[in-house]
Amino acid sequence: MVDAAEGTPVAGSTLLTPGAAPQPTGGMIRFSSQWRERLAAGPESDLGLTEQFRRLAATLHHAHLANGLSDVMLTSASPGDGKTLTAVNLALVLAESYRYRVLLIDADLRRPSIPDIFEQSDGCGLSEALTSPTEQKLALVAITNRLSLLPAGRPISNSIEALTSPRMRQILEEATSRFDWVIVDAPPVSAATDARLLAQMVSGTLFVIRAGQTQSPDVQRAVDAIGREQILGVVLNGVEGTGPTPYYYGHPRD
Ligand SMILES: Nc1ncnc2c1ncn2[C@@H]1O[C@H](COP(=O)(O)OP(=O)(O)OP(=O)(O)O)[C@@H](O)[C@H]1O
Ligand SMILES: [Mg+2]
């Protein structure tokens, strides 16, 4: 287990600028009220839910130790399957239970949603950095001492151009070198080619399926589009009677 040094400045940083440390109030995470009970941290968190995400995080932790896995993307076949919920909870548990330094990237540049969860005011983010003619420093948002957020910024429609830019690769490279874990919240595969492009830039993909909602032909199409070899595992979200419960069925590649 990596016990990340809190707030350690990182040498060689070019694009990513650490956010101000969160207020030392103990709770310190500013969750929005409609997400609080679905998150695996904070005073209103559900123990059963937190436990499920610890199991998922444990698998990633072992893959990190065994083969250096340190960046994953979350995607799914359709909108609303639970990608963002899973990405945020995974990032929280890796940071708070496993004490990794984690960067959560909101890479849904067309419809960013993470700002809603953390009650973070809409500001600049990835989309501005990728579309600006000049190189810009990107201010990260400190969610906890160990968890930072790279917000998506303002929604853009030309996200394919932005995501395929050399700057995007530079940002991901810097992120993986500075953090123990980089968790990328991606759009659904059905929306555009964004998720397919992003899948080629990260070490592996966790595929979210919403129980009772995601249709199996859509899953098949999405998995084929991403590439089966890119998929590390599947998170089955929302099994009836158990609340928002993710299951991890796959095994990260050796
Ligand atoms: N297991 C669950 N139980 C209850 N609510 C859930 C569950 N999973 C997700 N939700 C809720 O469903 C909505 C959609 O979830 P989320 O935003 O995580 O999906 P998404 O796949 O990221 O969607 P999008 O494709 O629009 O980005 C949110 O309001 C979220 O809180
Ligand atoms: Mg989402």
Side-chain angles (χ1 to χ4, degrees):
M1 187 180 304
V2 175
D3 190 2
E6 295 178 6
T8 309
V10 183
S13 151
T14 53
L15 283 169
L16 306 177
T17 314
Q23 293 303 307
T25 54
M28 82 175 101
I29 306 168
R30 299 153 293 166
F31 295 145
S32 70
S33 54
Q34 73 266 37
W35 281 84
R36 258 176 232 152
E37 62 188 31
R38 295 179 204 141
L39 296 179
E44 290 166 47
S45 66
D46 178 288
L47 281 182
L49 168 84
T50 305
E51 195 44 44
Q52 292 296 335
F53 277 103
R54 282 198 184 132
R55 283 174 46 197
L56 177 60
T59 313
L60 294 186
H61 166 64
H62 290 304
H64 182 81
L65 297 184
N67 56 28
L69 182 73
S70 66
D71 57 321
V72 289
M73 176 187 101
L74 279 290
T75 192
S76 74
S78 324
D81 287 327
K83 297 172 289 296
T84 297
L85 184 83
T86 306
V88 168
N89 278 328
L90 191 55
L92 278 168
V93 171
L94 284 169
E96 298 312 302
S97 300
Y98 283 87
R99 305 182 70 76
Y100 284 113
R101 284 171 308 177
V102 182
L103 178 64
L104 175 62
I105 300 181
D106 188 350
D108 196 341
L109 300 184
R110 295 164 196 264
R111 284 195 323 124
S113 57
I114 293 181
D116 297 345
I117 301 177
F118 292 117
E119 287 190 334
Q120 170 233 341
S121 61
D122 280 1
C124 289
L126 196 49
S127 60
E128 284 75 19
L130 295 176
T131 53
S132 158
T134 55
E135 190 169 290
Q136 282 190 355
K137 290 257 180 203
L138 262 171
L140 304 180
V141 179
I143 304 295
T144 72
N145 285 330
R146 286 177 294 274
L147 172 59
S148 299
L149 169 67
L150 173 48
R154 291 181 196 89
I156 52 170
S157 53
N158 59 337
S159 54
I160 294 175
E161 203 180 317
L163 291 172
T164 49
S165 65
R167 212 174 285 167
M168 182 66 194
R169 284 197 182 275
Q170 201 186 341
I171 288 168
L172 284 173
E173 269 166 31
E174 188 175 324
T176 47
S177 71
R178 290 182 51 192
F179 290 84
D180 303 315
W181 275 102
V182 177
I183 308 289
V184 180
D185 182 23
V189 178
S190 62
T193 50
D194 298 22
R196 281 175 246 178
L197 293 169
L198 282 163
Q200 291 157 22
M201 297 181 184
V202 294
S203 301
T205 294
L206 289 175
F207 194 87
V208 179
I209 293 177
R210 184 92 178 243
Q213 184 173 306
T214 319
Q215 301 295 310
S216 76
D218 295 341
V219 171
Q220 190 64 51
R221 267 194 296 275
V223 167
D224 289 345
I226 293 286
R228 202 166 285 270
E229 68 291 346
Q230 278 297 322
I231 298 185
L232 300 174
V234 171
V235 177
L236 185 58
N237 174 36
V239 177
E240 204 170 331
T242 58
T245 308
Y247 290 97
Y248 186 79
Y249 284 127
H251 295 281
R253 293 192 304 268
D254 290 326

